[in-house]
Amino acid sequence: MDTQVLTTVLFLTVVAATVAITFWASRQTKTAADFYSGGRSFSGFQNGLAIGGDYMSAASFLGISGAIAVYGYDGFLYSIGFLVAWLVALLLVAEMLRNAGRYTMADQLAFRMRQRQVRSAASISTVVVSIFYLLAQMVGAGTLVALLLGVDSEAVKNITIIGVGALMIFYVVVGGMKGTTYVQIVKAVLLMLGSALIVVLVLAKFNFNLSELLGSAADNSGKGEAFLQPGLQYGASLTSQIDFLSLGLALVLGTAGLPHILIRFYTVPTAQDARKSVLWAIALIGTFYLMTLVLGFGAAALLDRDQVDPLEGGNQNLASPLLAEAVGGGEGSTGGAILLALIAAVAFATILAVVAGLTLASSSSVAHDLYKGVIKKDQPVTEKEEVRVARIGAFVIGAIAIALSIPAQRLNIAFLVALAFAVAASANLPAIIYNMFWRRFNTRGATWSIYGGLISAVGLVFFSPVMSGLPTSLFPDSDWSIFPLNNPGIVSIPLGFLLGYLGTISSREPDAEERYTELEVRALTGAGAEQAVLH
């Protein structure tokens, strides 16, 4: 049977299933609480699956296994970073945030500060982080579909990006949080089963002996023993080592500030369920990142270098799908075609689930923070009106993401995600942590840290080699790069914390300090978390 036909059928099945789920969920979405947080009706296990579905993005499924296949040990450090990041989210923010807010990240800031300034800042930051992350997913979708249909034309990639954009707007507008959550649960199950299948087939080729797999990967990589040692990608110079540290900081601290992960904690009825869902998510995500190890080294051992190594004309984002084809029996075999189509459909489902979560996070923030909290500050806003604004917001954000993704196709997917993490860690994390743990923290501190972290992270990237000066840059023919690192985190994250501190000590706000005790009690116990946070 023709591979393309099979792939297309599987793709359409995945899309049809998610659309059906969304329609089903739309019949259950009645109130604003249903739209934003699924009526807080999900169990810890369901939410854990959905968080896993939200977190294990196409970048981790396609990007990390590709990075390991090309750079060996240095690629594996992405897996470690993403996994350790979870502990920061669990220990510092998960439960307290769930108790202190209602629907968006800004809720817990606005609880004790001046509404207008804080909500505007948090909303802008949410939208910027979401759009960077959306770009990565949509560029990935374009590459993937072009590979599967065996055509390398710009038109096909562009049509795919527009199609994914239209679908994500549909999921959010029609299904709200309920539809999005069920799409994520289905995708998490598919991704775990698909990955596990490939992992078992890869290990079977090496008699379930890991050292044989690693040895074979090192030999086939052409780098020998160096492939299994640190330093292939980062380590040639001091700059690249600092760059690596900067990337690690952004990955580990960024998760706790990612808006689409933060709003997942609001979908469970109690703080205990919030903790449970994080434990389930850690189990799933931990297993998945261990599997990327086998997928990456398996690709290094079983695929030709010219298939995965960008320096030899390969595409590292395609390591997982090509590995599936190889273990299924190789190119042209029926088994290979079926597995390739299956893994590609899973990767596509992954992209759809993640973009839906991102669009929901940013459109919720536009409606709940900007529209209700800033524009209509003194007038009452009905729930119906607020949800309508969120739906319009989803259209606008979807359109912006489509417009930006089409020119961004030359950039590496994993890099785009690392950028979103750097912005989240620089702009959102300082404000969240200070607000939870520092009584003196006030409005000026919050706005300085959010805007300062946001502008410094985006600004440093603009003046880095990512944008100009190198053959791999976005503008390879010009050169205005003055900042030597690709990852801005090592400068912009401390700057975000410093600005938050300076803004706070240079102004006094007795109201914010008075309300801190109430916020603290609420964050630690969950008492009163259901009430509105507008004062």
Side-chain angles (χ1 to χ4, degrees):
M1 184 178 179
D2 190 10
T3 329
Q4 265 94 2
V5 177
L6 182 68
T7 311
T8 315
V9 168
L10 266 173
F11 256 50
L12 293 174
T13 313
V14 168
V15 173
T18 54
V19 168
I21 292 169
T22 310
F23 272 126
W24 171 80
S26 71
R27 292 211 289 279
Q28 327 228 331
T29 300
K30 309 260 189 308
T31 64
D34 284 341
F35 184 85
Y36 289 131
S37 60
R40 292 194 184 234
S41 59
F42 292 104
S43 70
F45 174 61
Q46 284 176 317
N47 196 44
L49 271 174
I51 290 178
D54 223 345
Y55 194 64
M56 301 180 289
S57 66
S60 39
F61 182 51
L62 301 172
I64 293 179
S65 55
I68 296 175
V70 178
Y71 301 110
Y73 183 95
D74 280 7
F76 180 52
L77 287 160
Y78 267 106
S79 298
I80 304 286
F82 280 138
L83 187 55
V84 173
W86 256 108
L87 299 176
V88 179
L90 172 66
L91 298 172
L92 278 179
V93 297
E95 186 186 342
M96 295 175 81
L97 201 72
R98 144 94 199 39
N99 289 340
R102 273 179 84 206
Y103 301 138
T104 63
M105 181 187 87
D107 281 347
Q108 52 104 6
L109 290 171
F111 183 77
R112 66 189 190 103
M113 295 180 195
R114 293 201 287 276
Q115 289 282 328
R116 269 203 163 126
Q117 290 103 306
V118 177
R119 284 196 188 276
S120 309
S123 189
I124 289 168
S125 158
T126 296
V127 172
V128 172
V129 173
S130 300
I131 284 178
F132 275 129
Y133 212 110
L134 277 171
L135 290 184
Q137 306 302 325
M138 290 164 79
V139 169
T143 317
L144 191 71
V145 173
L147 158 89
L148 292 168
L149 301 175
V151 279
D152 192 23
S153 76
E154 288 301 303
V156 172
K157 289 182 184 173
N158 295 349
I159 290 168
T160 308
I161 287 176
I162 294 167
V164 171
L167 272 168
M168 79 185 181
I169 294 170
F170 166 80
Y171 295 144
V172 173
V173 170
V174 177
M177 180 55 106
K178 272 210 169 126
T180 304
T181 302
Y182 282 114
V183 169
Q184 283 159 346
I185 290 174
V186 167
K187 168 242 139 146
V189 172
L190 283 177
L191 184 63
M192 295 303 283
L193 293 176
S195 305
L197 174 66
I198 306 298
V199 164
V200 169
L201 290 172
V202 167
L203 289 174
K205 284 217 184 279
F206 297 95
N207 310 316
F208 293 92
N209 180 341
L210 263 181
S211 68
E212 201 179 314
L213 165 67
L214 294 174
S216 168
D219 295 342
N220 195 38
S221 72
K223 316 261 191 338
E225 205 44 42
F227 191 67
L228 305 177
Q229 305 293 335
L232 264 187
Q233 186 179 10
Y234 301 100
S237 64
L238 182 65
T239 312
S240 72
Q241 288 171 338
I242 295 176
D243 208 2
F244 173 65
L245 188 64
S246 189
L247 169 73
L249 261 180
L251 294 181
V252 169
L253 297 176
T255 302
L258 285 177
H260 68 296
I261 300 292
L262 296 178
I263 64 166
R264 287 241 57 95
F265 295 125
Y266 298 136
T267 62
V268 288
T270 65
Q272 192 185 356
D273 285 314
R275 277 200 304 278
K276 247 192 218 146
S277 59
V278 177
L279 288 175
W280 275 110
I282 286 184
L284 276 171
I285 292 168
T287 312
F288 173 73
Y289 284 125
L290 279 175
M291 293 199 285
T292 59
L293 185 65
V294 177
L295 294 174
F297 284 112
L302 299 170
L303 299 175
D304 297 332
R305 296 310 287 169
D306 61 0
Q307 287 178 290
V308 288
D309 195 334
L311 296 174
E312 300 182 23
N315 184 340
Q316 66 181 57
N317 293 329
L318 300 177
S320 294
L322 291 172
L323 175 66
E325 183 177 54
V327 292
E331 208 175 331
S333 63
T334 314
I338 291 174
L339 280 182
L340 173 66
L342 187 74
I343 290 301
V346 167
F348 196 60
T350 298
I351 290 170
L352 293 178
V354 175
V355 292
L358 284 161
T359 312
L360 184 69
S362 38
S363 61
S364 307
S365 183
V366 166
H368 187 68
D369 299 330
L370 273 185
Y371 181 73
K372 185 179 176 180
V374 179
I375 299 168
K376 292 276 191 173
K377 184 173 182 291
D378 304 320
Q379 299 115 318
V381 175
T382 63
E383 285 203 336
K384 220 174 192 165
E385 200 181 341
E386 199 180 324
V387 171
R388 194 179 75 237
V389 174
R391 290 181 164 144
I392 296 169
F395 270 103
V396 175
I397 288 159
I400 294 172
I402 293 171
L404 290 175
S405 298
I406 291 176
Q409 289 179 55
R410 291 230 309 276
L411 289 178
N412 174 308
I413 301 183
F415 160 71
L416 282 165
V417 171
L419 182 61
F421 272 75
V423 176
S426 313
N428 298 348
L429 189 68
I432 292 173
I433 288 183
Y434 277 148
N435 190 42
M436 293 285 193
F437 299 104
W438 189 20
R439 178 182 297 276
R440 178 78 207 270
F441 193 54
N442 55 30
T443 307
R444 183 187 286 179
T447 47
W448 279 22
S449 74
I450 292 176
Y451 288 131
L454 185 66
I455 293 166
S456 62
V458 175
L460 287 174
V461 167
F462 184 75
F463 289 111
S464 76
V466 171
M467 292 299 286
S468 65
L470 293 176
T472 51
S473 305
L474 191 56
F475 299 101
D477 304 329
S478 346
D479 184 2
W480 63 78
S481 64
I482 45 178
F483 180 67
L485 307 178
N486 287 333
N487 298 295
I490 201 160
V491 178
S492 61
I493 298 171
L495 191 64
F497 277 100
L498 176 68
L499 286 168
Y501 172 73
L502 293 176
T504 302
I505 58 167
S506 64
S507 67
R508 285 228 75 122
E509 200 177 322
D511 285 2
E513 293 178 45
E514 275 167 31
R515 289 181 68 91
Y516 176 74
T517 312
E518 198 184 330
L519 177 77
E520 192 175 32
V521 169
R522 180 181 281 205
L524 293 172
T525 62
E530 301 297 324
Q531 279 85 49
V533 284
L534 294 172
H535 54 270

